[in-house]
Amino acid sequence: MLEGLKIAVYVSGGIAAYKIPDFVRSLIKAGAQVRVAMTPAAEQFVTPFTFEVLTKYPVLRDQSTYPDPVGHIHLADWLDLAILVPATANSLGKLVHGIADNEALASLLACNRPCLIVPAMNNKMWDHPATQRNIDQLRQDGYYVLDPAKGFLAEGYEGKGRMPEGQEILQAVMALATISQQEQRLDLTGQKIVISAGGTQEAIDPVRYISNHSSGKMGLAIAHVAALAGAQVTLVRTPSARDLAVIPEIQLIDVEDAHQLQTAMTEEVQEADMVVMAAAVSDYRPAQVAEQKIKKDKSQVSNDWHLHLVENPDILAGLPKDRALVIGFAAETQDVEKNATAKLVRKGADMIVANDVSRSDIGFGTDQNAVTLVTHQDKRCLAKTSKFQIAWAILDMAQSIQK
Ligand code: C5P
């Protein structure tokens, strides 16, 4: 998914540096070409040789022999995307003030491409006003700064300061790579966006449920592109979407069935500027949920078991449309565009993202899809492409809708 992208990973000296070789591997596995720079303090935690074996290229560091005599400029000119990870309070502070007292920082100062900063430090260092001022300044300067995660710190106690997991950072990298490849700028600063993702699970009894093949990947891609474009994002996710990594700044609400999803969406829509119903909602649910597991014995079910289903509420159709822009999805197997246009009107939505689910190479569970975006004013067809590209196109088109 990052094929052809040149990524430079700048490692500074925090304990989370020991996780970076694994992260570098995941970037390479996703198709990126990776080079690494290290501050002298980072070398206390992990050896340059580890990165050299993984990337098959010398690490840019002080006192190193680098293929180019002006290594810091050479690396800055080579990259498409820079990542400072882990970003220590010290390196953040220096970057804010333009201090370039090691090769890695000098290279970052020479970099004019998109840069993702992933801070990781002790919670008290993170909370310090100086660090918070620096973070604000970096954001104003155009850097993309991820929030650290809350959890167990190296100091042996809980706090906000942990480096997000590698898979979470990877989601941010894919979103940022997508955003930075476009000619138009996507700026969602100040917008609150609520996104639902995954397939609902309608309980039959304590061990069985009715569901569908939705993985939640499309909703997750929209959530990450929106968050990296500056939006405040809430993700309402079903169990099938819970294994997918999410960056810490995305607020999570976990639901299981259509009723819980409806409650969450109805509550969240009140403050939202945009709602994206990417979840695949079961149209029907069992009329009754058995309290105990239904046994196969003949007193409870006969050879052919008839399950009585009742209709679920149509969440999208029932959402208020006065404030937030409302976007729905349509999974069709025939007359995709015609059905999507009818759905747009029937559900009172502002946009329908229509896809042809009869194609097995795209859609459910895969990383790619081909869709048509239909609004009341416009239509845009997207040939097979990544779900992150589709997420960008949806958010970009949403910006042009006049409510
Ligand atoms: O009617 P259909 O299921 O094709 O519509 C799909 C769109 O409607 C999706 O955006 C889905 O999230 C939403 N939906 C809903 N409530 C339902 C069924 C679908 O909000 N009960």
Side-chain angles (χ1 to χ4, degrees):
M1 272 185 294
L2 297 173
E3 279 79 14
L5 202 73
K6 294 178 193 152
I7 299 180
V9 176
Y10 293 81
V11 188
S12 64
I15 180 61
Y18 82 89
K19 299 179 184 172
I20 305 307
D22 213 35
F23 172 62
V24 164
R25 279 195 74 210
S26 65
L27 292 174
I28 295 169
K29 219 170 138 195
Q33 208 182 322
V34 184
R35 291 182 186 173
V36 173
M38 297 174 81
T39 66
E43 293 186 32
Q44 305 288 318
F45 295 94
V46 57
T47 72
F49 185 60
T50 305
F51 289 118
E52 292 181 344
V53 172
L54 292 173
T55 63
K56 319 268 185 289
Y57 203 82
V59 167
L60 176 72
R61 48 194 275 257
D62 294 1
Q63 285 112 37
S64 72
T65 45
Y66 198 71
D68 189 279
V70 196
H72 58 290
I73 306 296
H74 185 258
L75 184 62
D77 286 346
W78 170 84
L79 61 88
D80 297 317
L81 192 80
I83 310 174
L84 172 58
V85 60
T88 60
N90 181 53
S91 287
L92 291 179
K94 287 182 182 174
L95 197 55
V96 166
H97 294 285
I99 297 169
D101 63 352
N102 60 55
E103 282 292 299
L105 282 170
S107 180
L108 277 172
L109 207 59
C111 168
N112 61 3
R113 309 304 317 271
C115 178
L116 181 69
I117 294 183
V118 190
M121 64 194 74
N122 173 271
N123 59 331
K124 283 168 267 186
M125 294 173 80
W126 172 253
D127 287 336
H128 194 282
T131 307
Q132 290 306 310
R133 267 199 311 275
N134 288 339
I135 295 290
D136 288 346
Q137 188 59 54
L138 288 168
R139 287 193 169 126
Q140 276 179 42
D141 290 348
Y143 289 98
Y144 296 83
V145 185
L146 288 191
D147 271 354
K150 285 191 192 122
F152 192 70
L153 302 173
E155 292 76 0
Y157 51 80
E158 303 267 324
K160 182 171 178 175
R162 272 176 67 88
M163 189 181 88
E165 298 302 327
Q167 289 302 312
E168 296 170 17
I169 306 170
L170 195 61
Q171 294 284 322
V173 171
M174 289 196 276
L176 184 54
T178 307
I179 290 171
S180 57
Q181 274 160 14
Q182 318 296 328
E183 277 172 22
Q184 281 128 277
R185 200 170 124 77
L186 181 68
D187 185 4
L188 303 175
T189 309
Q191 292 206 37
K192 181 172 162 54
I193 304 186
V194 183
I195 299 153
S196 68
T200 61
Q201 290 186 352
E202 310 295 329
I204 298 171
D205 67 15
V207 298
R208 303 182 179 93
Y209 57 80
I210 297 172
S211 194
N212 54 62
H213 291 300
S214 172
S215 65
K217 284 185 175 178
M218 188 66 244
L220 267 283
I222 301 170
H224 284 91
V225 173
L228 269 286
Q232 190 195 330
V233 178
T234 300
L235 179 70
V236 184
R237 55 177 193 176
T238 70
S240 68
R242 279 182 217 160
D243 286 342
L244 301 173
V246 181
I247 55 172
E249 40 268 86
I250 295 179
Q251 199 198 328
L252 295 171
I253 300 177
D254 285 341
V255 296
E256 273 161 30
D257 57 26
H259 264 281
Q260 291 171 5
L261 179 57
Q262 185 183 35
T263 306
M265 296 309 285
T266 311
E267 171 79 26
E268 291 299 317
V269 71
Q270 293 178 33
E271 302 284 311
D273 299 296
M274 194 191 300
V275 175
V276 187
M277 273 296 292
V281 186
S282 297
D283 290 322
Y284 291 87
R285 68 178 184 280
Q288 275 173 343
V289 183
E291 269 179 39
Q292 307 297 332
K293 183 184 169 193
I294 300 171
K295 297 254 187 247
K296 217 171 97 183
D297 80 48
K298 298 289 178 276
S299 64
Q300 289 197 31
V301 288
S302 57
N303 282 346
D304 47 345
W305 173 17
H306 295 271
L307 195 58
H308 181 201
L309 302 178
V310 292
E311 203 175 352
N312 263 331
D314 191 317
I315 304 167
L316 179 61
L319 287 176
K321 312 286 187 327
D322 46 340
R323 187 176 190 275
L325 201 88
V326 177
I327 301 172
F329 276 69
E332 305 288 347
T333 52
Q334 56 189 7
D335 292 334
V336 177
E337 224 177 280
K338 194 168 135 238
N339 289 335
T341 309
K343 205 163 279 182
L344 184 73
V345 176
R346 195 168 69 244
K347 304 217 180 200
D350 297 293
M351 187 197 299
I352 290 286
V353 182
N355 58 10
D356 182 350
V357 287
S358 65
R359 283 178 63 175
S360 60
D361 59 324
I362 52 172
F364 281 140
T366 66
D367 294 321
Q368 295 193 313
N369 208 349
V371 297
T372 305
L373 313 184
V374 185
T375 71
H376 294 280
Q377 295 93 20
D378 208 359
K379 196 185 78 182
R380 199 182 292 177
C381 292
L382 298 169
K384 186 175 166 181
T385 184
S386 83
K387 288 186 175 173
F388 281 89
Q389 290 285 349
I390 293 172
W392 184 90
I394 293 169
L395 293 165
D396 176 57
M397 198 165 179
Q399 292 305 94
S400 64
I401 297 176
Q402 309 291 333
K403 266 287 249 195

